[in-house]
Amino acid sequence: MTEFFINFPCFSIILALLASAVSTLLGKSAARRLTIIVCALIFCASLCTLYHVVCAGESVTYMMGHFPAPFGNEIRFGIFECIMAATFSLVMVLCVIGGAGSVIERIGGFRQNLYYIMADLALASLLALTYTNDIFTGYVFVEICTVAACGLLAARNSGKSISAAMRYMIFSLIGSGLLVLGIIFLYGITGHLLFPQLKESVASLWASGQYRIPLTAALCLLTIGPAIKSGLFPFHLWMPDTYSTALPGSAGILSGIISKGYIVFMMKLVFQVFGTEIFFESGISLIFLVFGICAMIFGSVGAIRAKSISRMNAYSSAAQIGYIYMGMGISAEIGMLAAALHIICHAVTKSAVFLSSGELIRVSGGKSDFFSLQGAGHRAKLAGVVFTVGAMSMVGIPLTMGFITKIYFARAGITADGMTLAVLLALAVSTVLNVVYFLKTMIRIYTPQKVGSQEHIVTGAPKGKMLAFSGLVLTVLNICLGLHCEPLVQLLRRGIEMI
Amino acid sequence: MPWKLVLGVCILLPVVMGFVMYACKNKIEPRINRWACVTVFIEAALVWWAVLCCPGDTYTLFSLTEGITLVLRFDGLGRFFAGLIATLWPLTTIYAFGYMAHQPRKGMFYAFFVMSFGVTAGVAMAGNLLTMYVFYELLTLSTLPLVMHEMDTKAVRAGRIYLVMCVGGAAFGFAAMVFFQTTGCSLEFILGGNLSEFTAGKHVTVFMFILGFFGFGVKTAVFPLYFWLISASVAPTPVTALLHAVAVVKAGAFGVIRLIYYVCGTQLLSGTWGQYVVLAAALVTMLFGSSMAVKETHFKRRVAYCTVSNLSYILMGAAMMSPVGMAAAIMHILCHAVSKILAFFCVGAVLETTHLQYIADMEGMGRKMPVTFATYTVAALSLTGIPPLCGFFSKWNLLTAMVEAGNAAGLIAAAVLIICAFLSAIYMLSVMVRAFFMPGKNTGAGIIEADKRMLVPMVIIAVGVILIGIFASDFMTLANNIATGLI
Amino acid sequence: MNTAFMLIMIFLPIVFGAVLPAFGKKHKLRNGFVTAVLAIELALAIYFAVCGGFSMKLWSFTDQISIGFANDGPARFFSLLFAAVWLPVGIYGFVYMKHEGWETRFYSFYMMVEGALIGMACSSNLVSMYIFFEVVTLTSLPMVLHSLKKEAINASLKYLFYSIAGAFMALLGILFLSRYCTTLDFAPGGTLDFAAMAGKEKLLLAIIFIGVMGFGVKAGMYPLHGWLPTAHPVAPSPASAVLSGIITKSGVIGIFRIIYYIVGAQFLRGTWVQYTWLILAMLTIVMGSAMAYREKVFKKRLAYSTVSQVSYVLLGIFMLTGAGVVGSLLHVVFHAAAKVGLFLVAGTVIFATGRTKVEELRGAFKEVPLLGWCFTFVALALIGIPPLSGFVSKWYLATAALSSGLGVICWIAPVVLLVSALLTAGYLLPITVRGFFPGADYAPEKRAPRLKDVHGGAVLGVMHVVFAALSVALGVFSGSLVTVFSNIANTLF
């Protein structure tokens, strides 16, 4: 019976693409509903596939339309891919639900359609990036993803958001360029595009010592490309402008999942094309580790210096991305596990933070500077709670998901030869910095306004219930995972062994 | 008896009640005192019941993830700490009724006040370092709204500092904790420690121990991480008294004792540079805190600096890494808790009744508020270490521990302790002299004795300070039994 | 029975002092009760002086820390001394304190100090003594700041801080001793556990040094004497009298007990510690006298004199010989009588005329001859003119020094005593001379009232006579005292 589930990944991608096509024809609220339904369906489908893979105990290679390569296209999914796909679709559906209000408020008429098309497209490309077993398909969807992300950013028709989208585009295209260069190198050396064949020839070439330099270069390009796209230090500078001008929903999608899509793709490249031995031998891992730590620190410092909550969130994303890269740089087993956990944690948490800050800003008269935000937690009670829990999770307070990932990062750090102290201290210092800006904001939103300052007139948000729903779901999910994370961790562990 | 349930209720009851009170704070504001009172007394009774009757078994609650399990276990030290807070919490609640009578936002205050009771009980009952760490963090968060109660610029700033230092400090403790766990040292609390050898290299392990010490030591305001305690004195006095003289800071001291004696063990650590660093930190804090207290002219902040200094007495005892040292540290936890809460109560009584803050304003107040300053005198004498009040005996024990050590470190520590005792005489007793014997500037008829609800707990605790001194041998036997694992 | 008496002797004044404010405005009744209690004290002290030795344990705080009392030689002697001085000074105070005000408070603490002092004298172990030592400090504090003037407050804080610092130094010593002694109970000859302290002698010596210096603060020993000339003069005269004459002796008791009853003279003899003490004591003697010589304020001059005189006592103790002990105990008595007598004179002068400076005393004795004669006798006793009391003790001290076998100190000590005696004469006798013979140009604006014209002047006069007589008589009939002290000293070696 569960055999049928192996078709779901392929269906999901196609479904998402179809939905984006159909959305062009629908009205704005119909498009929204379609997107929500499709995303929810895809989430269920991913869970079903996950169930199958877990039962089967091995990853599945699926040929689209049952044509072998090079005519057909292969996808491959194990536990890891399925969990990521489920995370992406879940966060996507919640961001779309939660962001609906702001979309209605800020985007005029027909452009709302466009927004949902882009969301569908983004999800399709994320799924494809996660499932693909073909490096070129991967590249294609990286580009689609970039376009979709730009669309999400530019949907709000203001000068600032368009220039931010342009900036994002430029950074992103640099990353894509490097990526495609890497693919060309690799193709030139090996003549393959499918992961298994690539891995075989890369391994034999590496063992023989031939083409060592081009191979290393390809590895560099293939890892640095996605790193730039996901905003690893020092390429995080596009983030603050982009996220602070984006709609809360878009920011949640961008920071929570799109940047993670590239990372997942890269993890797949590392595991399925190069193999972890080569990755760690080549020294790229060390670069990740170092830049990851730098990102953690500098991202947080940027967040502390930020003058508005949205820029703060953006810088914080840069810092959190640093955690993930640091984990990847430590080791193939526990380091990757920590990184994967943090992908989920950050997706769940940061989207909640962006959504709730959007609401907090709205009730503060649309101003996002900290002074205006004073007392916002009282004006929008639920958003305040969601933000508070999210902030705690980002800091790593126990009983939230952030604490679990912090434990795994620390455990990974201890296994890192020679870098133990650096990693542990970086974690601790970064936590201190996180406390400084996140919990400071938390205090700020609960501080009563100064007497005599301008009273903000709070109006009911359009689709306020939808926002509340997604905020609550994300928060509850966060706390549940914080209370009992063992099943997820074990699944991920098996998943990482599988890829 | 399903003790797991009872312990769980001990922790959850106040937390849940706190949430309930917070949620309906507008509705129950007029009856908030009753709510808080009932909850606190039931909780205190529950905790005492558990302290006296609960067997020392290990109760596993649930696991967060692999190897991260929340465990409750009541051992001697935990019982001691739980008994201490369960005694002082109800008294402080009564005091708070008097103190908070004219303050706004009572609903929020009592909600978090009750909540932190449960969390502190959790700290006491924790069966391993992880569980304790969890409650440790929650303690910071649940007390944060209390620190910021006034919600003015100063209070918010204090809250921010408090949060950053305590949570940030805990992050270092966290790193050490995960390190110990990963390098094969169980986090269970076992008297004597789990660390049987330096599996990860001596210096790294010692370094991690120091990291852990400072991480958990932030709450005990060890130099240079002390200033949260000073700035937190803007909180309402029941908070300063209970939380920043007893619950939070003692949880820190408790944590350090747990780390030294129950997790790492003194076997390996004593004699390493780690011990000396820890000891030096404690000594520097003692001297620093005392000197700053002498310099300080703000009454409450002076008492707060006194706390900084006294907390490091405990750390110093703990840093001797001997059963005698541990017993002395435990004894000082008790004696300092009762004496300091009393001192803060007096400061608060003056503050709330007359709004006078500075020591110069205290001149002549002893005749206006005789009961308040009589109890203050008891507290001051006890903190100075005048026999036969309880502070003398804890100092005696600490000094004995130093002498037992017999080495140069012990001698220096003893000398520093004596100097600090002298300084504490200067800063505590001079206020007493001013209050009773200087002709007052505030001759107005408006100044009256404090509210009875404040005076009653003060008198009870003052009697306690004297009685603990008189029956010191029983308490010292208790401390010794805890330190040698008999309880 | 003895137990009950002992507890009454110690705690009756303390409890009585605490409830004294209950008398309210009934001054006569209050004075009557105070007199009665003081008399009971004296009677009990006499009773204990003649009855046999006994010891008791009141309360054990812990196995090391307990409160216990015993009735050994020094206990009898000191408690009798305290009770004997307290009664007349108390009666003197009834009159004197009228112009100071706050009499109830004064007597409240006056009584408490007596209880604490007697408790200290009778303590049978070191910790118990330390506890009462602290109580003495705290209860005598309000006597210093009695006037509540700014200088009084500052002086009292100075007194408090010096005393507490000294107490904590002593505590450090006690603590180490508790580790290296078999017991902290007093035993003539010491209780050092030589097995336990093997190899730690140097450390222990240093710690004992610190501990003794701690008690030395109360005795005004250089370099920690600074509080004494500040605190004593600002107190009301009866308080200054007991502070100078008696309370400084509480430090002496502490030192005496530590050296002879805990550590033992044997361990200290010939060590650097002993020499340092001796040198410090001699330095204090000379320095105190010199400062007194320079001082212009009468009571301050007397206070500096105390600094010097108490160190005579310490000098005798530090010699670690039987003769030294006898000399110093003798000087305890004689100095107490003389110094109380002198301060009472100063008090009466202030009481009657309000004059405080030495030069203002010019002619005062001519106007009030009784005062002059009493002052002169007491001063002569203090200087050490034979056959008055001071001479006897100084004689013993000097001979003890000569026979102590301490090398060069054998010779220096008598010279120091002599120089100091000359200085004493220098700062006391001119007062007599100028007092009786103001010179031809003396024409006061206002004559001092005669004693009998002062309300209660008879009481004052009687008390002056009592102390003057004591100073004379104790010297003349010092034989029995010497026997008593020799018996005490003999047990120590």
Side-chain angles (χ1 to χ4, degrees):
Chain A
M1 149 75 194
T2 58
E3 280 303 300
F4 180 64
F5 290 161
I6 60 168
N7 297 312
F8 281 1
C10 171
F11 289 177
S12 321
I13 299 173
I14 293 168
L15 191 62
L17 285 172
L18 265 180
S20 65
V22 174
S23 292
T24 49
L25 307 173
L26 295 175
K28 50 196 178 187
S29 54
R32 181 177 67 235
R33 273 181 219 128
L34 180 70
T35 308
I36 292 170
I37 292 167
V38 164
C39 292
L41 275 179
I42 292 173
F43 172 62
C44 298
S46 312
L47 287 185
C48 292
T49 323
L50 175 64
Y51 178 69
H52 170 74
V53 184
V54 170
C55 290
E58 56 177 11
S59 59
V60 178
T61 310
Y62 179 87
M63 283 175 284
M64 283 179 145
H66 297 283
F67 298 115
F71 308 107
N73 206 330
E74 267 187 14
I75 59 177
R76 181 173 179 277
F77 45 91
I79 297 175
F80 175 75
E81 285 89 346
C82 291
I83 292 177
M84 288 304 158
T87 312
F88 291 159
S89 46
L90 179 65
V91 173
M92 178 63 92
V93 67
L94 290 172
C95 282
V96 169
I97 293 176
S102 58
V103 169
I104 292 171
E105 208 175 18
R106 307 269 189 82
I107 302 179
F110 73 100
R111 294 170 68 94
Q112 288 183 26
N113 246 2
L114 185 69
Y115 184 84
Y116 293 112
I117 294 169
M118 290 304 167
D120 288 331
L121 216 51
L123 182 61
S125 52
L126 283 174
L127 292 175
L129 283 177
T130 315
Y131 287 134
T132 186
N133 201 23
D134 177 338
I135 199 165
F136 189 73
T137 314
Y139 171 68
V140 169
F141 280 101
V142 163
E143 292 296 19
I144 295 178
C145 199
T146 309
V147 172
C150 284
L152 287 174
L153 286 173
R156 184 179 170 187
N157 192 9
S158 77
K160 262 190 185 171
S161 68
I162 288 178
S163 75
M166 291 300 291
R167 188 180 294 197
Y168 174 69
M169 181 75 115
I170 292 166
F171 265 99
S172 223
L173 286 180
I174 294 172
S176 311
L178 294 179
L179 190 67
V180 79
L181 265 181
I183 292 172
I184 291 166
F185 266 48
L186 209 57
Y187 186 68
I189 298 166
T190 62
H192 293 294
L193 285 173
L194 280 183
F195 288 171
Q197 284 93 328
L198 272 174
K199 183 165 189 180
E200 223 171 89
S201 37
V202 166
S204 62
L205 279 175
W206 189 269
S208 67
Q210 281 177 302
Y211 299 113
R212 181 60 65 94
I213 294 169
L215 261 184
T216 314
L219 179 58
C220 280
L221 292 169
L222 285 176
T223 46
I224 290 173
I228 293 176
K229 290 177 81 77
S230 54
L232 176 64
F233 174 86
F235 304 108
H236 64 291
L237 295 170
W238 56 269
M239 277 184 168
D241 285 337
T242 313
Y243 290 170
S244 61
T245 53
L247 294 172
S250 321
I253 293 170
L254 240 78
S255 156
I257 49 181
I258 289 185
S259 56
K260 307 300 176 351
Y262 304 129
I263 297 176
V264 170
F265 181 57
M266 184 179 57
M267 281 170 111
K268 277 174 72 97
L269 287 182
V270 166
F271 275 92
Q272 293 176 347
V273 174
F274 292 97
T276 48
E277 291 85 8
I278 295 177
F279 176 65
F280 284 99
E281 234 174 88
S282 63
I284 298 284
S285 63
L286 195 65
I287 294 178
F288 274 20
L289 182 59
V290 170
F291 280 93
I293 290 177
C294 290
M296 283 158 65
I297 306 297
F298 287 101
S300 294
V301 170
I304 291 172
R305 294 162 56 107
K307 295 275 186 298
S308 75
I309 191 169
S310 26
R311 292 182 78 85
M312 183 197 83
N313 286 337
Y315 273 113
S316 146
S317 292
Q320 301 293 332
I321 295 283
Y323 277 81
I324 298 173
Y325 279 95
M326 182 186 78
M328 282 167 54
I330 291 172
S331 67
E333 301 82 30
I334 188 153
M336 287 293 177
L337 174 65
L341 261 178
H342 201 67
I343 289 178
I344 299 173
C345 167
H346 186 237
V348 170
T349 311
K350 194 41 78 57
S351 50
V353 167
F354 269 116
L355 285 176
S356 55
S357 351
E359 175 66 6
L360 292 174
I361 293 171
R362 198 187 65 78
V363 296
S364 307
K367 290 183 193 137
S368 64
D369 63 300
F370 288 117
F371 185 75
S372 309
L373 278 171
Q374 214 150 295
H378 295 296
R379 294 192 288 273
K381 292 207 167 54
L382 190 78
V385 171
V386 171
F387 182 84
T388 305
V389 174
M392 284 179 186
S393 176
M394 289 283 89
V395 171
I397 302 285
L399 310 185
T400 59
M401 173 101 187
F403 178 62
I404 308 284
T405 59
K406 216 167 75 169
I407 286 180
Y408 280 94
F409 277 119
R411 283 182 178 173
I414 288 159
T415 62
D417 281 335
M419 295 295 277
T420 304
L421 284 183
V423 173
L424 285 183
L425 288 178
L427 261 182
V429 169
S430 147
T431 306
V432 173
L433 297 175
N434 276 342
V435 176
V436 170
Y437 60 87
F438 260 124
L439 298 188
K440 179 186 82 181
T441 313
M442 182 185 93
I443 291 175
R444 177 72 80 168
I445 63 172
Y446 284 109
T447 309
Q449 271 183 297
K450 286 244 162 55
V451 183
S453 65
Q454 187 193 346
E455 284 287 320
H456 297 297
I457 297 139
V458 179
T459 51
K463 305 285 176 191
K465 277 194 183 140
M466 289 170 79
L467 177 65
F469 169 76
S470 48
L472 269 184
V473 170
L474 287 169
T475 305
V476 169
L477 191 66
N478 194 341
I479 291 177
C480 286
L481 286 176
L483 285 175
H484 195 63
C485 206
E486 203 160 344
L488 178 65
V489 170
Q490 274 162 3
L491 277 181
L492 270 179
R493 197 185 288 272
R494 282 177 61 194
I496 285 171
E497 280 163 16
M498 223 178 251
I499 54 174
Chain B
M1 183 57 64
W3 280 105
K4 185 173 171 179
L5 191 69
V6 175
L7 295 188
V9 169
C10 277
I11 295 169
L12 282 182
L13 172 82
V15 174
V16 171
M17 284 306 288
F19 274 119
V20 170
M21 282 159 75
Y22 184 70
C24 359
K25 60 178 187 288
N26 295 331
K27 221 175 286 171
I28 61 169
E29 179 98 33
R31 297 180 303 281
I32 193 86
N33 282 7
R34 231 172 294 164
W35 280 67
C37 189
V38 168
T39 315
V40 166
F41 275 86
I42 291 177
E43 167 74 1
L46 266 177
V47 171
W48 263 112
W49 181 38
V51 165
L52 296 176
C53 307
C54 178
D57 301 338
T58 307
Y59 304 101
T60 309
L61 292 182
F62 56 88
S63 89
L64 296 181
T65 173
E66 317 148 305
I68 307 292
T69 313
L70 294 188
V71 168
L72 296 185
R73 194 164 72 87
F74 237 157
D75 62 355
L77 189 63
R79 275 169 217 266
F80 167 80
F81 187 52
L84 181 67
I85 56 159
T87 313
L88 293 178
W89 221 286
L91 290 172
T92 312
T93 312
I94 298 172
Y95 179 85
F97 293 154
Y99 187 90
M100 300 297 293
H102 309 294
Q103 300 260 357
R105 288 192 295 281
K106 272 191 281 194
M108 186 164 137
F109 175 83
Y110 285 115
F112 284 99
F113 188 72
V114 165
M115 217 185 284
S116 21
F117 192 1
V119 177
T120 317
V123 173
M125 292 170 186
N128 61 26
L129 194 59
L130 243 155
T131 318
M132 203 187 79
Y133 174 82
V134 169
F135 285 114
Y136 218 68
E137 293 269 42
L138 295 182
L139 184 59
T140 312
L141 292 174
S142 61
T143 53
L144 175 69
L146 298 173
V147 173
M148 299 198 306
H149 181 81
E150 304 282 339
M151 278 298 181
D152 54 7
T153 321
K154 254 177 159 178
V156 169
R157 194 172 153 270
R160 227 184 264 171
I161 293 175
Y162 176 51
L163 197 62
V164 169
M165 296 198 69
C166 285
V167 178
F172 288 92
F174 170 83
M177 180 176 78
V178 177
F179 175 84
F180 282 127
Q181 196 192 23
T182 315
T183 53
C185 161
S186 151
L187 296 182
E188 287 296 307
F189 290 143
I190 297 163
L191 188 58
N194 297 301
L195 204 64
S196 50
E197 54 182 328
F198 292 119
T199 42
K202 182 176 171 183
H203 295 297
V204 177
T205 311
V206 170
F207 178 76
M208 281 298 160
F209 161 72
I210 289 173
L211 219 55
F213 171 81
F214 279 101
F216 289 107
V218 171
K219 276 216 166 62
T220 54
V222 67
F223 186 85
L225 307 169
Y226 64 92
F227 40 84
W228 69 265
L229 185 67
I230 308 304
S231 63
S233 64
V234 297
T237 306
V239 175
T240 329
L242 182 64
L243 293 160
H244 296 133
V246 181
V248 173
V249 293
K250 293 293 153 53
F254 181 77
V256 169
I257 293 178
R258 286 289 201 200
L259 181 72
I260 294 178
Y261 290 92
Y262 289 80
V263 175
C264 296
T266 53
Q267 199 80 46
L268 283 185
L269 285 179
S270 71
T272 58
W273 55 278
Q275 185 187 9
Y276 297 117
V277 169
V278 168
L279 189 61
L283 295 182
V284 169
T285 316
M286 284 161 65
L287 280 177
F288 175 80
S290 303
S291 331
M292 289 304 283
V294 173
K295 223 181 96 182
E296 184 61 59
T297 55
H298 188 275
F299 196 12
K300 201 170 179 186
R301 278 206 290 274
R302 176 177 281 196
V303 181
Y305 271 118
C306 169
T307 308
V308 171
S309 159
N310 266 278
L311 288 169
S312 278
Y313 290 16
I314 301 172
L315 296 186
M316 178 185 73
M320 294 321 287
M321 302 205 177
S322 62
V324 195
M326 181 178 162
I330 293 172
M331 186 73 182
H332 198 67
I333 287 184
L334 171 70
C335 295
H336 176 246
V338 286
S339 312
K340 187 48 65 64
I341 200 172
L342 182 56
F344 268 120
F345 277 2
C346 300
V347 175
V350 177
L351 190 66
E352 178 59 17
T353 316
T354 66
H355 302 288
L356 296 176
Q357 301 184 352
Y358 285 87
I359 287 165
D361 301 329
M362 296 304 135
E363 289 173 8
M365 294 292 289
R367 284 179 300 244
K368 299 264 165 43
M369 307 175 73
V371 182
T372 305
F373 276 94
T375 50
Y376 174 80
T377 307
V378 172
L381 292 178
S382 172
L383 285 170
T384 310
I386 304 293
L389 297 170
C390 66
F392 170 72
F393 295 98
S394 63
K395 267 190 195 140
W396 177 276
N397 276 9
L398 284 168
L399 283 168
T400 315
M402 309 299 128
V403 177
E404 285 292 330
N407 51 13
L411 276 180
I412 295 168
V416 170
L417 184 62
I418 292 287
I419 294 169
C420 287
F422 170 60
L423 290 175
S424 65
I426 294 184
Y427 59 75
M428 293 308 281
L429 298 184
S430 59
V431 181
M432 177 189 94
V433 171
R434 274 170 186 273
F436 278 113
F437 298 109
M438 297 260 272
K441 283 181 269 183
N442 307 296
T443 43
I447 297 170
I448 44 159
E449 185 56 278
D451 191 308
K452 280 206 179 55
R453 286 173 295 187
M454 290 193 241
L455 291 184
V456 169
M458 281 155 64
V459 172
I460 292 175
I461 295 175
V463 171
V465 169
I466 296 167
L467 286 184
I468 291 173
I470 291 176
F471 297 99
S473 69
D474 300 320
F475 290 98
M476 274 161 71
T477 318
L478 179 76
N480 277 324
N481 287 346
I482 292 171
T484 48
L486 292 176
I487 297 179
Chain C
M1 191 63 184
N2 275 345
T3 312
F5 279 163
M6 179 64 88
L7 291 183
I8 289 174
M9 180 164 77
I10 292 161
F11 291 104
L12 175 69
I14 295 180
V15 174
F16 179 72
V19 301
L20 201 67
F23 282 104
K25 298 225 177 280
K26 296 174 192 145
H27 298 309
K28 285 237 168 84
L29 191 66
R30 180 197 65 208
N31 289 355
F33 268 95
V34 168
T35 318
V37 171
L38 289 172
I40 292 172
E41 289 295 300
L42 183 57
L44 282 172
I46 293 169
Y47 167 75
F48 277 110
V50 295
C51 88
F54 90 106
S55 70
M56 58 171 287
K57 184 152 274 189
L58 178 63
W59 180 258
S60 288
F61 290 109
T62 69
D63 43 359
Q64 272 183 327
I65 307 173
S66 61
I67 293 190
F69 303 109
N71 187 29
D72 59 355
R76 293 175 203 192
F77 157 61
F78 279 109
S79 51
L80 183 59
L81 174 72
F82 296 157
V85 172
W86 232 255
L87 177 64
V89 175
I91 294 170
Y92 176 89
F94 292 146
V95 178
Y96 181 86
M97 289 309 290
K98 272 196 192 122
H99 89 285
E100 288 273 353
W102 299 103
E103 292 145 277
T104 307
R105 188 177 72 207
F106 175 81
Y107 276 104
S108 195
F109 288 105
Y110 184 75
M111 302 307 291
M112 287 194 214
V113 176
E114 179 178 24
L117 274 173
I118 293 179
M120 195 183 164
C122 295
S123 290
S124 68
N125 64 54
L126 200 51
V127 178
S128 176
M129 187 185 79
Y130 172 77
I131 292 175
F132 281 104
F133 183 70
E134 291 272 31
V135 177
V136 168
T137 303
L138 292 174
T139 48
S140 56
L141 180 72
M143 298 183 10
V144 175
L145 46 70
H146 187 87
S147 70
L148 301 186
K149 284 182 192 133
K150 199 167 176 60
E151 52 171 359
I153 304 274
N154 289 341
S156 72
L157 287 178
K158 198 170 175 185
Y159 170 54
L160 181 69
F161 297 153
Y162 267 88
S163 298
I164 298 263
F168 283 133
M169 282 161 73
L171 180 64
L172 188 68
I174 293 171
L175 210 103
F176 273 82
L177 288 173
S178 78
R179 172 82 172 73
Y180 296 112
C181 287
T182 49
T183 165
L184 284 182
D185 288 347
F186 296 134
T191 62
L192 266 193
D193 185 352
F194 288 95
M197 52 166 270
K200 303 253 182 195
E201 285 86 354
K202 279 186 183 158
L203 170 67
L204 200 58
L205 274 178
I207 294 292
I208 292 168
F209 178 75
I210 292 175
V212 165
M213 291 303 288
F215 280 112
V217 171
K218 255 292 198 292
M221 187 165 154
Y222 182 85
L224 297 171
H225 65 284
W227 64 276
L228 204 150
T230 318
H232 287 183
V234 301
S237 291
S240 332
V242 291
L243 278 165
S244 254
I246 304 296
I247 294 177
T248 48
K249 304 301 188 310
S250 65
V252 173
I253 301 179
I255 293 174
F256 185 63
R257 289 288 198 183
I258 282 200
I259 291 182
Y260 291 105
Y261 287 79
I262 292 290
V263 179
Q266 196 59 47
F267 180 67
L268 296 170
R269 188 166 292 137
T271 59
W272 64 271
V273 174
Q274 189 195 2
Y275 286 109
T276 316
W277 283 336
L278 284 168
I279 291 166
L280 285 176
M282 291 191 291
L283 209 62
T284 319
I285 292 172
V286 178
M287 189 230 30
S289 297
M291 293 299 284
Y293 187 75
R294 286 181 41 189
E295 185 55 55
K296 296 281 184 281
V297 178
F298 190 23
K299 276 173 89 173
K300 251 190 163 155
R301 178 175 287 191
L302 295 181
Y304 274 117
S305 157
T306 302
V307 172
S308 158
Q309 297 289 329
V310 176
S311 276
Y312 282 56
V313 178
L314 296 182
L315 181 69
I317 291 177
F318 294 150
M319 280 175 196
L320 304 177
T321 62
V325 170
V326 173
S328 64
L329 290 182
L330 279 172
H331 201 70
V332 166
V333 184
F334 300 156
H335 172 247
K339 191 50 61 64
V340 171
L342 288 176
F343 265 112
L344 293 192
V345 170
T348 306
V349 171
I350 292 170
F351 180 68
T353 67
R355 299 175 190 170
T356 55
K357 295 245 172 69
V358 172
E359 59 204 43
E360 292 170 352
L361 291 179
R362 200 173 147 203
F365 296 159
K366 195 177 169 191
E367 292 150 19
V368 195
L370 175 69
L371 211 56
W373 286 112
C374 289
F375 178 84
T376 311
F377 273 109
V378 175
L380 290 176
L382 199 65
I383 296 162
I385 306 295
L388 301 178
S389 58
F391 169 73
V392 182
S393 55
K394 286 182 189 175
W395 176 262
Y396 271 89
L397 286 174
T399 49
L402 288 171
S403 62
S404 65
L406 288 169
V408 69
I409 290 186
C410 294
W411 299 101
I412 294 176
V415 173
V416 165
L417 289 179
L418 195 66
V419 170
S420 169
L422 287 177
L423 283 170
T424 312
Y427 64 72
L428 287 177
L429 290 184
I431 298 176
T432 304
V433 176
R434 305 288 300 262
F436 279 115
F437 310 108
D441 59 334
Y442 177 66
E445 293 163 20
K446 199 178 101 194
R447 284 178 61 89
R450 300 179 69 86
L451 267 185
K452 62 183 178 199
D453 300 334
V454 178
H455 182 68
V459 179
L460 302 185
V462 170
M463 292 309 146
H464 290 310
V465 174
V466 165
F467 281 100
L470 271 177
S471 297
V472 178
L474 285 172
V476 178
F477 305 104
S478 58
S480 53
L481 276 179
V482 171
T483 323
V484 171
F485 295 151
S486 300
N487 287 340
I488 292 176
N490 287 338
T491 62
L492 301 178
F493 298 97

